[in-house]
Amino acid sequence: MAIKFGYHTWSYSSFGSWVPAYTLDETIKRLARIGFDGIEIGAAAPHAFPPYLSPARRREVRALLGDHGIEVSGIGPAPTGGPGYNPSSPVAEERAATVEHYRAINELCAEWGAGSVVYLPGWVVFGTRRRQAWAWSRECLEQIADDAAQYGLTVVVEPLAENSNLCESGEDAMELMEDIARPNVKVMFDCSHVRYRRESLTDQVHLMGANLHQIHVADTTATATRLPAGRGDEDWEGLVDALLDTGFDGYLTAETGFHRRGIDPDHDARTGLAFLKPLVARKIADRAALGNSTGR
């Protein structure tokens, strides 16, 4: 079992707020220097919008990742904006464009050695029944998962309670995964979205079990969200215990700060890693010591 640590590049890429903003090259160098195993990249400008990446540029990024000893843990889509990219849209052309966007992400994952693609199920547009929106999202996911399979990629369904009225909970994500029954489709959760619903992080771990592929990590207080782990009220010890109980083998990817202007992403990244990585190491060591003691 191996738990790895990653950081989402949203807070370096002007997503949600325009500043601060850094190039992908600079982001890779900084996060590698801080000590992360991997990065999760949003497939959006200025970092990785597929139509803006020439073959030469793709090779350049792959070489940069190798030079700095950091991997791409996954790539997610660029939702909303001009193209929309809502797989639950009542506009057939938008749904088709969404599938094509994900096909381009699948190809990019393969080129950069990423193991997973994050699937955002979309949102219900007024005048559409939820049942119909769900069916459209499911149809898109089937096509995306089948395309991803040729590259050996896992497609990970993320519920988005703060942003979506379609797939909001862990149960919703599990239902969508089970509806399409593809072996390369798994689930994840984002700590911030779970706490938005006033639910338990550890309950999500046990609900998803062996199908839990990764987690977006963020801490929360009564007045603040998207904080580095250890700077809020979450029960991180309980979460790590639950992960070890269920045999979690994947990425804990911090997704912090990107929703507001003026953060220092290096500080957020460094602070969260400095708290969470030793905690995981200690919990693993404690269990190993207990196992050795019991064995004797």
Side-chain angles (χ1 to χ4, degrees), residues 143-162:
Q143 296 176 65
I144 293 162
D146 289 345
D147 182 73
Q150 69 175 312
Y151 301 109
L153 299 173
T154 300
V155 181
V156 189
V157 178
E158 180 180 6
L160 300 166
E162 293 182 80

Side-chain angles (χ1 to χ4, degrees), residues 207-235:
L207 167 67
M208 296 179 175
N211 291 301
L212 177 60
H213 191 74
Q214 65 193 71
I215 299 173
H216 282 165
V217 170
D219 216 334
T220 305
T221 68
T223 58
T225 61
R226 296 283 175 201
L227 301 172
R231 290 304 177 97
D233 303 326
E234 298 296 356
D235 179 14

Side-chain angles (χ1 to χ4, degrees), residues 63-88:
L64 189 66
L65 291 163
D67 290 345
H68 288 81
I70 194 168
E71 65 183 15
V72 177
S73 59
I75 301 178
T80 71
Y85 295 141
N86 179 6
S88 305

